[in-house]
Amino acid sequence: MTTTPGPVRAGQDVQWRRCASCGAFIYGKRLDRNRKVCPECQFHFRIPPDVRIDQLADPGSFEAFPEPGPPRDLLGFTDSKPYPERLRDAQARTGRADAVLAGRMTVRGRPVITVVLDFSFMGGSMGTVVGAAVAAAARTALAERTPLLLVAASGGARMQEGALSLMQMAKTAQAIAALREARVPVVNLNTDPTFGGVSASFAMLGDVVLAEPGSLIGFAGPQVIRNTIRQELPAGFQSAEFLLEHGMIDGVVPRETQRETLARLLTLLGPSVPELPEPTAPEGEFLLTRPVPAVRTTRETVALARTIDRPTTAEYIGYVFDDFVSLHGDRSHGDDQALLGGLARFGGQSVVVIGHQKGHDTAELVRSNFGMPHPEGYRKALRLMRLADRFGLPLIAFVDTPGAFPGIEAEERGQSVAIAECILELSRLRVPVVSVVTGEGGSGGALALGVADRVLILQNAYYSVISPEGASTILYGTAEHAGRAADALRLTASDLLRLGVVDGIVPEPPDGAHTAPHTTALTLKSALAHTLTPLLGRSGEQLVAARRERFDRFGDLDLQPVVDWENDDEH
């Protein structure tokens, strides 16, 4: 909508736009400078494909593919006007043969094949020409092994082309499947609106799925839903933010940071230089491979592992890695704040990072459920494990949880299945896996991130089949004997090293990691680099075989060595 509030003198050329969200009138040139985003409320105006390309691509880098052939009226379809007439109107209005623009470009120097839908052409609907253009771009990406970016803005399948339009959902989905099998990255950027046959096919199948703020995204449109179920829809329903909360997308990215976010993703998903940070100290200073004398009781160690000031996974990520892009959601229910994950850079090597997340105050702890994931948290971890395997990226896991959440909702949504699938998936990943217990290592909820080639533990962390309080309650009928149970469980770092459950101990400052979090993180960084380096040269088959052998030996006296550290004797 273009309007000019107030009197305009002759010769004046003043363009104003009224924001559909807040009602503010915005000077056109100011709106253009602000990437078509309302400066008052951040509402994202719809933009045509060429403007989208200008905002994302390096200047002058976009080369359009040849225009697809014009769509045909194969059904002889007529509603209030014949389909050919609708096509002619849309073509005259947009200057485009159909609702799609495709080509190649670079983003911060990274090449990418790009497809952008044009909502102003019959609502960006997907007919045979759009489907063919998406599939052709995917085939080009596959042939050149170049990432594919899909920018959607669509009302869905084009009804004027009937079942042939419906078949484009399968055509585009199988094109994405070929890229997935070939480990070629696919990134979705969904904008307002993205619905129907587009959202239920290529628009939600990327390795990473992003959305613009406020965009409406879903299968059925709001009006269709209202008319079908006869209910009022909740505030924010089907918005990008709603989808993020419900685990359907990885992030909501404002227009001003989309180019940078896309460049980071292309870098992290692209070829890596297998060079890890050099350790900054002798090995004995950042990784201990022999038990250390106890300086506190087991109960005191457990208390220290649980202290609210202890560094969280988010803090370790900030200190240890050079870049990190957080990814979200399990693609089926929610985005569990108790499980953090994403893509990171570790020296010259891209990695996938997952970890339990806690907090330092009541608000953070409640938001993260005190580090106890629901099934959707473990399913998010499972999705990221598979992402690591697909792109050949090492996986680094941070373990710090009292255990998986033992609640009604968790049981209803399949807590056991989610944990079991994580354990199974880790056992078969063809990439290096390193886990580090940074605080609490509680039962199966910890092991879901702990099936690794190498397992490290911080000096004052613990790892156990059950909490001391739980063991005491079961064995003695009361939690009062938790200290006695803790001693019996042999859950300290040195105990676990003797048992072979962990491979090394990462030293902490005398009074605990929380007294010097940055120093502890740098020590851990050296330990991770030292541990991961020899694993990078192993094949997927070697990694899987050795990992399975590692866990096969536990409890089998014919396979598991028993080490007497005091006498340096192994038998």
Side-chain angles (χ1 to χ4, degrees):
M1 171 180 175
T2 303
T3 183
T4 50
V8 180
R9 294 190 298 274
Q12 239 183 345
D13 183 19
V14 181
Q15 296 290 319
W16 294 83
R17 295 288 300 276
R18 187 174 187 273
C19 176
S21 177
C22 69
F25 289 98
I26 310 155
Y27 185 52
K29 291 184 178 179
R30 183 187 182 196
L31 188 61
D32 290 341
R33 288 194 300 270
N34 208 42
R35 298 174 178 269
K36 299 289 186 181
V37 177
C38 175
E40 304 299 327
C41 71
Q42 305 308 304
F43 173 76
H44 285 53
F45 286 73
R46 292 173 184 164
I47 56 177
D50 52 335
V51 174
R52 176 77 60 185
I53 294 294
D54 287 344
Q55 292 185 1
L56 294 176
D58 295 334
S61 70
F62 181 71
E63 299 176 12
F65 293 152
E67 280 272 325
R72 293 180 295 165
D73 181 20
L74 297 172
L75 307 183
F77 191 98
T78 299
D79 48 79
S80 59
K81 63 172 64 174
Y83 180 38
E85 186 176 335
R86 288 194 181 279
L87 287 173
R88 285 193 295 271
D89 290 346
Q91 290 163 348
R93 186 171 58 256
T94 65
R96 208 175 307 285
D98 210 313
V100 63
L101 174 63
R104 65 179 83 250
M105 65 187 193
T106 61
V107 181
R108 299 282 192 262
R110 290 283 184 178
V112 60
I113 304 298
T114 305
V115 179
V116 185
L117 298 192
D118 186 352
F119 188 76
S120 62
F121 191 110
M122 295 189 67
S125 55
M126 180 171 63
T128 54
V129 170
V130 171
V134 172
R139 287 193 292 271
T140 301
L142 180 62
E144 300 178 3
R145 300 199 66 81
T146 300
L148 177 65
L149 170 66
L150 299 165
V151 184
S154 174
R158 187 172 296 175
M159 69 181 73
Q160 290 86 352
E161 295 189 20
L164 294 175
S165 176
L166 184 68
M167 294 303 109
Q168 305 312 304
M169 295 171 65
K171 176 188 288 187
T172 57
Q174 69 184 16
I176 303 305
L179 292 174
R180 185 176 294 185
E181 291 164 4
R183 302 180 176 183
V184 175
V186 178
V187 178
N188 290 117
L189 175 58
N190 293 329
T191 69
D192 183 58
T194 300
F195 278 105
V198 168
S199 72
S201 58
F202 69 86
M204 296 297 286
L205 290 177
D207 301 294
V208 178
V209 181
L210 307 174
E212 278 194 338
S215 297
L216 292 181
I217 304 166
F219 180 60
Q223 193 59 41
V224 172
I225 295 174
R226 285 192 191 94
N227 291 340
T228 301
I229 66 174
R230 304 296 180 184
Q231 291 179 7
E232 278 305 307
L233 305 180
F237 182 69
Q238 293 184 312
S239 68
E241 294 75 12
F242 176 92
L243 266 67
L244 180 63
E245 180 184 351
H246 288 80
M248 307 302 171
I249 62 176
D250 286 294
V252 177
V253 185
R255 212 166 273 169
E256 62 182 349
T257 62
Q258 285 172 8
R259 180 187 289 181
E260 184 59 33
T261 299
L262 182 57
R264 292 168 66 197
L265 285 170
L266 294 174
T267 298
L268 290 167
L269 290 171
S272 290
V273 178
E275 295 179 359
L276 301 179
E278 287 291 331
T280 56
E283 180 181 342
E285 295 182 19
F286 61 76
L287 187 63
L288 308 176
T289 55
R290 295 173 60 87
V292 294
V295 296
R296 52 181 57 89
T297 67
T298 306
R299 186 73 184 271
E300 289 170 340
T301 298
V302 171
L304 196 57
R306 293 171 171 172
T307 182
I308 196 172
D309 296 323
R310 199 164 178 84
T312 65
T313 291
E315 289 166 309
Y316 281 122
I317 288 173
Y319 289 132
V320 169
F321 301 103
D322 303 309
D323 190 16
F324 177 71
V325 176
S326 183
L327 301 179
H328 298 267
D330 67 342
R331 295 294 187 271
S332 62
H333 180 80
D335 181 42
D336 193 340
Q337 302 299 305
L339 202 299
L340 181 64
L343 294 160
R345 202 74 170 176
F346 193 37
Q349 175 70 53
S350 292
V351 299
V352 170
V353 180
I354 55 177
H356 301 100
Q357 175 66 13
K358 291 184 178 177
H360 296 306
D361 57 35
T362 301
E364 289 179 343
L365 288 167
V366 169
R367 187 164 56 247
S368 65
N369 200 35
F370 297 84
M372 296 185 290
H374 288 78
E376 50 269 28
Y378 288 111
R379 291 191 175 106
K380 173 166 62 174
L382 182 65
R383 186 172 73 85
L384 295 177
M385 292 171 192
R386 291 170 176 164
L387 184 74
D389 196 58
R390 184 153 68 247
F391 292 106
L393 304 179
L395 178 70
I396 298 176
F398 294 87
V399 176
D400 184 15
T401 180
F405 182 61
I408 295 173
E409 302 92 341
E411 294 297 325
E412 288 175 339
R413 296 198 292 270
Q415 187 71 285
S416 295
V417 176
I419 292 172
E421 288 288 348
C422 283
I423 294 171
L424 182 148
E425 195 68 25
L426 285 173
S427 74
R428 61 186 293 274
L429 292 186
R430 296 165 55 86
V431 296
V433 181
V434 177
S435 293
V436 53
V437 184
T438 60
E440 295 183 89
S443 193
L447 184 63
L449 273 57
V451 180
D453 301 295
R454 297 289 182 270
V455 180
L456 309 180
I457 187 168
L458 265 65
Q459 189 172 356
N460 293 304
Y462 76 89
Y463 197 4
S464 176
V465 66
I466 192 172
S467 70
E469 294 80 6
S472 176
T473 300
I474 292 172
L475 298 174
Y476 305 110
T478 174
E480 293 179 0
H481 299 285
R484 181 179 174 185
D487 290 334
L489 286 166
R490 298 285 189 257
L491 48 70
T492 68
S494 290
D495 289 326
L496 295 163
L497 189 59
R498 291 189 185 96
L499 292 169
V501 172
V502 302
D503 301 288
I505 300 172
V506 180
E508 295 187 33
D511 294 323
H514 60 288
T515 63
H518 182 249
T519 300
T520 304
L522 294 182
T523 303
L524 177 57
K525 182 176 183 177
S526 293
L528 285 171
H530 175 82
T531 303
L532 189 56
T533 296
L535 298 174
L536 293 177
R538 300 184 183 180
S539 69
E541 292 83 357
Q542 290 172 325
L543 289 165
V544 171
R547 197 179 306 136
R548 289 180 177 174
E549 181 182 348
R550 172 194 179 94
F551 288 92
D552 276 347
R553 75 173 188 259
F554 290 121
D556 190 330
L557 296 182
D558 293 330
L559 297 175
Q560 181 177 351
V562 179
V563 180
D564 182 351
W565 291 101
E566 292 184 3
N567 299 310
D568 262 349
D569 184 30
E570 183 176 304
H571 56 278

